[in-house]
Amino acid sequence: PDRELRYELLSGLPLCGYRAAIELAPDGAGTRIAWRSRFDRATPGAGRLYRRALAGFLADAAERVARHAEQRRGRA
């Protein structure tokens, strides 16, 4: 339970069935962050756009989470 978070988007974007999972796994001296998401459909014609935007957002958010964790570890 302390290595995985799953969530579902209920509103905020014109996507149907958006679900995501963030998984943490030991990786040498650090932690691997895997943040995956999927959705069933988007506003017609917008699926590729949302896939590209979400991929960038998830990569950036995972990097920020990792950076924050490193900073907190440095204070401990």
Side-chain angles (χ1 to χ4, degrees), residues 4-55:
E4 180 179 55
L5 170 71
R6 293 182 180 270
Y7 65 94
E8 182 175 344
L9 183 68
L10 301 177
S11 64
L13 292 174
L15 302 173
C16 293
Y18 178 91
R19 298 168 300 284
I22 304 167
E23 299 169 353
L24 306 176
D27 186 14
T31 302
R32 181 177 51 82
I33 301 171
W35 194 333
R36 297 180 180 90
S37 67
R38 60 183 295 196
F39 55 89
D40 297 329
R41 60 190 151 97
T43 302
R48 286 186 187 153
L49 174 67
Y50 279 109
R51 276 185 185 48
R52 192 173 316 148
L54 286 169

Side-chain angles (χ1 to χ4, degrees), residues 61-76:
E63 177 63 33
R64 289 173 186 249
V65 167
R67 195 168 38 242
H68 180 73
E70 284 294 319
Q71 290 171 353
R72 288 187 52 91
R73 185 169 69 171
R75 288 187 223 146

